[in-house]
């Protein structure tokens, strides 16, 4: 068991390591024994993976427009998180392991329960949303986008509570003759 393409994401929990690959695979490894334990697949590139804080679950984000929750260590499919209309770049568990937040190239941040139900869709970014972080209260999420903003969301009502404009835009980046 191995990847047949680049590894796009990696996560660890104790002696377990999970890898997400552009070969559509998620592989769970035992770091101590240096061997693959189990494998699962998406229908397209796997961009990211993350463990729950208790290590019972792994979530993966894919260019097949979904995120998926897998049981650990078997990587048996538990739930499919669908609602995005473009590549899902990141999916992470809340600190209390009760919810998952995802972001995608459709410019949305979505909150799901562990059964795969979409609880909230949060819109406000005007560019692809590429990264997320939960705050320790398991209620607020921070997102960043190519639109040059960082936004804080209250996931209970699904509303934006703060925007910081970094005044950086991808359309204003100039590439010189040497690629710099």
């Amino acid at each position: 068991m191995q990847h047949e393409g680049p590894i796009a994401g990696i996560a660890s929990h104790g002696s377990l390591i999970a890898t997400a690959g552009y070969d559509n695979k998620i592989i769970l490894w035992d770091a101590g024994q240096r061997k693959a334990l189990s494998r699962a697949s998406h229908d397209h590139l796997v961009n990211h993976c993350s463990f729950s804080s208790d290590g019972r679950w792994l979530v993966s984000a894919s260019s097949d427009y979904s995120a998926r929750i897998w049981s650990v260590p078997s990587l048996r499919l538990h739930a499919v998180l669908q609602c995005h209309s473009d590549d899902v770049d990141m999916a992470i568990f809340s600190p209390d392991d009760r919810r998952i937040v995802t972001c995608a190239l459709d410019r949305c941040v979505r909150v799901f329960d562990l059964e795969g139900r979409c609880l909230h869709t949060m819109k406000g970014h005007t560019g692809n949303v590429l990264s997320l972080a939960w705050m320790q209260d398991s209620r607020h999420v921070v997102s960043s986008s190519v639109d040059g903003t960082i936004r804080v969301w209250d996931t209970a009502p699904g509303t934006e509570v703060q925007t910081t404009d970094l005044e950086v835009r991808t359309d204003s980046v100039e590439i010189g003759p040497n690629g710099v």
Side-chain angles (χ1 to χ4, degrees), residues 56-73:
R56 289 185 53 214
W57 306 105
L58 182 76
V59 64
S60 55
S62 173
S63 293
D64 65 9
Y65 302 2
S66 78
R68 298 180 185 188
I69 303 172
W70 311 92
S71 62
V72 173

Side-chain angles (χ1 to χ4, degrees), residues 1-7 19-27 29:
M1 223 181 312
Q2 66 183 28
H3 284 285
E4 297 166 5
I7 294 172
T19 51
Y22 279 0
D23 56 0
N24 307 355
K25 296 178 192 170
I26 303 104
I27 300 178
W29 306 85

Side-chain angles (χ1 to χ4, degrees), residues 119-134:
L119 304 174
H120 298 290
T121 298
M122 300 175 292
K123 297 179 180 180
H125 284 291
T126 59
N128 299 342
V129 186
L130 300 177
S131 65
L132 301 162
W134 280 96

Side-chain angles (χ1 to χ4, degrees), residues 40-112:
S41 297
H42 271 269
D43 299 325
H44 207 307
L45 309 175
V46 186
N47 300 312
H48 182 263
C49 60
S50 180
F51 284 99
S52 59
S53 66
D54 62 7
R56 289 185 53 214
W57 306 105
L58 182 76
V59 64
S60 55
S62 173
S63 293
D64 65 9
Y65 302 2
S66 78
R68 298 180 185 188
I69 303 172
W70 311 92
S71 62
V72 173
S74 67
L75 291 187
R76 182 186 306 193
L77 183 63
H78 174 73
V80 178
L81 290 60
Q82 294 179 311
C83 282
H84 285 288
S85 60
D86 209 331
D87 297 16
V88 181
D89 275 334
M90 192 171 188
I92 53 175
F93 286 91
S94 60
D96 65 7
D97 292 333
R98 293 178 49 213
R99 292 175 293 154
I100 293 170
V101 68
T102 60
C103 66
L105 301 186
D106 63 6
R107 303 177 177 185
C108 294
V109 175
R110 297 183 194 273
V111 180
F112 294 87

